Each structure stands twice: as C-alpha cells, then as structure tokens.
Amino acid sequence: MVGAGLRAAARLWLPCRGQSGPRAASSSPSCPGCGPPGPGAHCPGAPRSAPAPLPAGGAELSGHLWARYQDMRRLVHDLLPPEVCSLLNPAAIYANNEISLHDVEVYGFDYDYTLAQYADSLHPEIFTAARDILIEHYKSLLMKIDAFHYVQLGTAYRGLQPVPDEEVIDLYGGTQHIPLYQMSGFYGKGPSIKQFMDIFSLPEMALLSCVVDHFLGHGLEFDQEHLYKDVTDAIRDVHVKGLMYQWIERDMEKYILRGDETFAVLSRLVDHGKQLFLITNSPFSFVDKGMRHMVGPDWRQLFDVVIVQADKPSFFTDPRKPFRKLDEKGSLQWDRITRLEKGKIYRQGNLFDFLRLTEWRGPRVLYFGDHLYSDLADLMLRHGWRTGAIIPELEREIRIINTEQYMHSLTWQQALTGLLERMQTYQDAESRQVLAAWMKERQELRCITKALFNAQFGSIFRTFHNPTYFSRRLVRFSDLYMASLSCLLNYRVDFTFYPRRTPLQHEAPLWMDQLCTGCMKTPFLSDMAHIR
C-alpha cells in the first residue's frame, strides 16, 4: 500500500483568567469549582476535609452531572473575553530551541520557497503539466499520521473518496497503527509509505488522488506501486524538463511573492557584518533571473558563497562530488577548486569540502530551508548547525487559531475532556448516558476544530490532539520556524529566541481541563497573556 503522511507539534496557547474572575460554584470545600471528585479522589494541595455527601444516584446523580457541566460552560465563557483572540502573530518566529542571533555569524539559505516564495497559482500549472506527461506514458491511500504512527481516522482517502474508518483499521490488521518498518526512513521515504513534506508536494498529492479516482471510477485494474511511481516520475519531469522554471521566468510578478522583503532581509544582515551563502538544487540561470527580480543585478555581492544544482540531500552526506565553477554564462569551468570566492558561482560539490574551505562550523551557522529532510536534518544532527524552517502554511493556521470560533471550540473541548476524565467514576446507568452524551459532543467539537483548517485533513501540525508526524520532525530538525524569511525583519539581529515551556502531561497545571475542573486556582488572564 502506498500511503502518505501529510505535512501535518503544535504551539497551543490556552488563556487563563485570574483571582478576581468568576469561579464555578463549589459543592466540595476540598475542590473549588469542580464539583465532587470521584470516590477516593483528592485534589493535590487542597486541604483534606470530610467529603460532601454525594447524590443518591439515578436521576439525582444525573442532574448533578449536568449541573457540573453547566457550571463549566459558564466558567469557560468567562475565561474567554473578546481580547483573548488574535494574540498570536502570524509574522512571529517560533522557537523549538533557545538560540541567540548574536552568536550567529553566518547565514545560509535555500532558494525555492525560502528566498523565493511562490504564489499558490503555481500549483495548478504543475498539476496540469504532470497530468499531461502521465497521460502520454496511470489499496493506494492518502492519509494523515500522528507523531505516534497512528492514522487519524477520518483523514484516509482512496482517490477522492473517503475510506471508512473500519476499512482503514482492517487494512492495518485491526489497528490504526502503522508499523515502524513501513514508516518513512530518515529522508521521509519508507518501503511502503512516503511522507509529503513541502509545498511542492501539493500538486503531486492532488494528481495521485485524481488518477486513483479515475481508475476506480471506471473499474480499471492497476498496480498501486506502478501508479505511484508513474505519478512521481511525471511530477519530477516537470522539474527536470524545466517547465516550472519557464512558467516562473515568464511572469515573475505573478509567481514570486515578497521579493522586496527578501532583499530587505539580506541587506540588513550584510549591513550588520553577517556572512551569507546560498545552497540550492535549482540551476543558475533560474536562480539568477529570480534574484535579479527580487534583489537587483548585483545580488551576488550580497553572498560570500553561491552553490547551485547542489543535489541536496546527498550534498550533505556524499563527500565524493567536487565543486565546479561556472562562468558568467553558466558554462562549467575546469579549474580545481581550492577556495570559494565571493561573487563566483559553484555547482554541486559537497558539505565536507564546503566546511574545509570556509571553516564555517557549528552553532555560529544558521541555515534556512523549507524541506525538513532535504534542507535541515543532516545539518542539525550531523554537523551542529542551527536551522530555521520556512513553513508558509503557518501564517494561515495562526489566523485560524486567532478566531473566536476556534478559541471557544478548543477551550470548551479541553474543559469537557477534563470533566469526562474526572466524572467517569460514576457508572450507574443514567450517569453512563450523560457521559455518552458528553463523549458525542466532544467528538463533534474535535471535528469542528479540524474542519476549520481543512475539511479533509485538518491542521498540518495536529491530529485531533496529538502532534502530527510532520510536527514531530519539525521540532526535531529545526531550532526556529516561521511562515517566511521576512519574519526576521521583526527582530533585532542580536535577538535571543526562548522556547516556551510547554507542559508535559505530569506538569499541566495551566491546561484548560485542569483549570476548569477546579484542581487549582486560575491565574489572571492579563498576567498570562504572554504565553503563546
């Protein structure tokens, strides 16, 4: 089976309200605001006292549970005043690891979707061209996988049709779990599953879905591995044949975004004495035209080293490929490369010679790229460089997180989850009916928050509650991540980024389900507004 884990570790800000804010009615002096704990339960830190008498059972206990539910609804409403929304800045830079730009002396960049941001209108062009290439020469699932290798039910598609949850579970031997041996290897490709990792993957996923849908809709037999290879080859040919380069070169105003901001970032770094380099898989003629459009004819003077057609990620691991110099027309020269000169263009090469010739090593180098595997993984894990991930989708996702609908849906979902966890000790028939109703509402809330991002797959950063497989890699392979390189303009060149201490499961006193079930006092919202 050919599957796909979408580009999909989330930064979640949960607002809190404080000492002067309203609190839910308490029916137990030992546990303000959460109602009676289950038998034998006790809130840490609360003084022990004689337990309050519990309802006798049946309708009386059911009414008690619904009263706790209504108390919590009021509390969540009071916890979320209007000013709680729009606190996340889509142009901010988010830190997985502490990093001070003061210590960074050398900045490196990928080109496509890093220095050059492309408009979404490029995707249909790639899709159409690859489809035409495919036509000239055809159990496949597209699905979303979380950080623990579990398929998020409701996100599996065969062609354009959703696959029932029961069938997905049956395909994997009665479980949602994808075995480790089937999952992606170090560079996102496993024996039966490929992880789609970057923006360029969108046309490929769309074409795969449409071709599979066509075969299924017309009752045509096909080998899923052959189909996957043919679609992948067709997408590759769009790049190899230079079709994408031609479209962009013909209309740079249409396809290249934020060119003036890229120029501002590069100029600012150079003005502050930073050294810059470019390592890209794209050819020189294409990069030259794009950089002239964004920066001007003297763009090479901003960079100490420029390397094109680098063949990443093997550039980072294979020491056998030598550097070749290009002349002004882009033709290969025969010189033996003993140093990398400013203003010159080099092709291919390898990182080991690059490190030897430049002596740019370790954490004083910060490299930006959009592909976690091809651009960042080796540099962080093998060579100790600092890395920055460019995630264009982040801007839209933050705008959704900032909406009142998302904030209220998520906060109530968290609160309801905490209520379910604490009240599950009541197991009489009527209480179980109440709990079942809460479970149904919780599932509906999960679907609502998922659909706010994407009706089919939801957020690229989370399944319902777990980080996605993509998020797990994002945290592992990047010190910083941001929507675009222009986010650097919002920070001083000596700024220190500090990652927020997001709670582990055993350190979660600020999580909404804990707050709303009354296990501790709620901090004042204005004091906590800095928590992203």
Side-chain angles (χ1 to χ4, degrees):
M1 176 177 296
V2 179
L6 286 176
R7 264 179 81 117
R11 180 180 299 281
L12 179 63
W13 184 88
L14 292 179
C16 308
R17 197 175 179 92
Q19 302 158 344
S20 60
R23 290 178 29 198
S26 172
S27 58
S28 168
S30 66
C31 190
C34 67
H42 180 74
C43 290
R48 292 186 180 272
S49 59
L54 296 178
E60 185 178 355
L61 185 52
S62 172
H64 173 77
L65 293 177
W66 283 114
R68 298 285 66 75
Y69 173 95
Q70 293 299 335
D71 287 344
M72 193 178 301
R73 287 299 296 246
R74 287 190 291 271
L75 178 57
V76 168
H77 180 271
D78 290 337
L79 284 169
L80 292 170
E83 67 269 18
V84 80
C85 299
S86 300
L87 287 179
L88 286 177
N89 181 2
I93 294 175
Y94 298 91
N96 294 321
N97 194 12
E98 184 173 327
I99 175 173
S100 174
L101 297 184
H102 175 77
D103 300 328
V104 176
E105 301 172 8
V106 184
Y107 285 77
F109 306 92
D110 180 34
Y111 180 72
D112 297 303
Y113 276 105
T114 301
L115 288 178
Q117 291 269 307
Y118 299 131
D120 290 345
S121 54
L122 183 62
H123 302 155
E125 300 277 7
I126 298 174
F127 172 89
T128 302
R131 181 196 61 193
D132 294 344
I133 292 171
L134 191 65
I135 290 173
E136 287 178 5
H137 285 268
Y138 326 66
K139 128 185 174 183
S140 301
L141 297 185
L142 188 66
M143 56 193 175
K144 183 177 173 185
I145 300 173
D146 72 12
F148 303 97
H149 297 193
Y150 283 86
V151 179
Q152 180 180 0
L153 296 180
T155 69
Y157 284 79
R158 180 179 289 112
L160 301 177
Q161 304 303 315
V163 179
D165 295 345
E166 298 78 9
E167 183 177 345
V168 173
I169 293 172
D170 184 62
L171 285 170
Y172 286 98
T175 177
Q176 298 166 238
H177 187 260
I178 310 295
L180 179 63
Y181 72 88
Q182 291 186 15
M183 286 297 292
S184 300
F186 186 76
Y187 293 111
K189 297 178 182 179
S192 60
I193 291 179
K194 174 190 174 182
Q195 185 182 10
F196 291 115
M197 287 295 298
D198 59 7
I199 292 291
F200 284 130
S201 298
L202 294 177
E204 184 176 354
M205 288 187 285
L207 185 57
L208 269 172
S209 298
C210 289
V211 174
V212 170
D213 193 70
H214 173 81
F215 276 80
L216 295 176
H218 291 79
L220 302 174
E221 293 186 6
F222 65 96
D223 184 291
Q224 55 204 15
E225 293 188 25
H226 294 335
L227 183 144
Y228 170 75
K229 182 180 184 303
D230 290 346
V231 169
T232 301
D233 288 348
I235 292 289
R236 184 202 60 203
D237 285 349
V238 172
H239 298 274
V240 172
K241 294 179 178 180
L243 299 178
M244 189 191 79
Y245 304 140
Q246 295 171 22
W247 303 326
I248 295 173
E249 289 172 3
R250 280 200 300 262
D251 196 345
M252 292 189 182
E253 289 291 342
K254 174 182 179 181
Y255 290 116
I256 295 183
L257 308 175
R258 295 174 167 171
D260 54 340
E261 296 175 4
T262 295
F263 179 41
V265 170
L266 298 177
S267 300
R268 186 167 178 249
L269 293 174
V270 171
D271 290 344
H272 283 82
K274 306 299 182 180
Q275 295 176 287
L276 310 184
F277 66 91
L278 170 63
I279 302 177
T280 176
N281 286 348
S282 293
F284 170 66
S285 60
F286 175 67
V287 174
D288 184 53
K289 291 173 183 176
M291 291 301 293
R292 286 174 180 270
H293 172 76
M294 293 187 290
V295 176
D298 298 325
W299 68 270
R300 282 188 279 172
Q301 296 308 310
L302 293 173
F303 292 89
D304 294 86
V305 178
V306 176
I307 301 168
V308 299
Q309 292 178 279
D311 194 26
K312 296 179 293 182
S314 65
F315 177 89
F316 301 128
T317 58
D318 187 351
R320 296 171 296 177
K321 298 177 181 178
F323 283 111
R324 299 286 301 273
K325 187 187 294 184
L326 303 181
D327 64 16
E328 293 298 318
K329 297 181 180 180
S331 299
L332 284 172
Q333 302 298 291
W334 296 94
D335 315 44
R336 180 179 178 84
I337 305 303
T338 58
R339 61 194 182 103
L340 300 176
E341 302 176 67
K342 184 170 184 175
K344 304 298 183 181
I345 303 297
Y346 300 91
R347 175 180 166 180
Q348 209 165 58
N350 63 84
L351 184 66
F352 302 93
D353 286 341
F354 180 86
L355 296 175
R356 177 176 56 82
L357 295 172
T358 63
E359 298 184 350
W360 292 339
R361 299 177 183 274
R364 68 190 187 102
V365 184
L366 172 57
Y367 185 81
F368 293 92
D370 70 299
H371 199 290
L372 298 184
Y373 295 121
S374 297
D375 290 324
L376 306 181
D378 285 302
L379 295 176
M380 169 173 273
L381 300 182
R382 302 179 193 271
H383 301 285
W385 286 10
R386 312 309 292 266
T387 56
I390 305 299
I391 313 294
E393 303 97 321
L394 182 64
E395 182 173 1
R396 177 180 176 272
E397 295 232 353
I398 287 178
R399 295 194 187 283
I400 293 170
I401 290 171
N402 280 338
T403 62
E404 187 173 346
Q405 182 181 9
Y406 174 85
M407 189 64 74
H408 278 272
S409 294
L410 182 66
T411 307
W412 174 235
Q413 177 185 319
Q414 291 287 87
L416 186 58
T417 299
L419 192 62
L420 272 164
E421 184 175 45
R422 290 181 58 77
M423 299 304 176
Q424 64 183 307
T425 52
Y426 301 120
Q427 288 297 310
D428 60 281
E430 295 202 19
S431 294
R432 285 199 298 271
Q433 290 181 359
V434 174
L435 295 173
W438 293 356
M439 285 290 293
K440 180 181 178 182
E441 182 180 358
R442 176 175 178 263
Q443 182 60 29
E444 291 170 351
L445 288 166
R446 285 155 63 120
C447 292
I448 288 171
T449 53
K450 168 197 165 189
L452 289 174
F453 296 97
N454 177 277
Q456 286 74 37
F457 299 106
S459 167
I460 68 168
F461 297 99
R462 277 199 184 272
T463 56
F464 287 129
H465 54 276
N466 285 336
T468 56
Y469 194 73
F470 169 78
S471 291
R472 186 177 182 178
R473 297 304 187 266
L474 177 65
V475 172
R476 184 68 184 93
F477 299 148
S478 66
D479 293 289
L480 304 172
Y481 64 99
M482 63 208 76
S484 73
L485 205 60
S486 62
C487 297
L488 284 170
L489 297 173
N490 299 321
Y491 301 85
R492 301 189 315 272
V493 294
D494 61 350
F495 191 86
T496 299
F497 293 94
Y498 297 96
R500 296 297 183 264
R501 184 185 174 97
T502 52
L504 301 172
Q505 292 295 318
H506 66 282
E507 337 174 286
L510 295 180
W511 284 8
M512 187 53 61
D513 61 335
Q514 297 287 338
L515 295 173
C516 290
T517 50
C519 286
M520 54 191 61
K521 293 182 179 179
T522 309
F524 207 157
L525 173 64
S526 61
D527 294 336
M528 305 305 294
H530 66 283
I531 294 182
R532 289 202 282 254

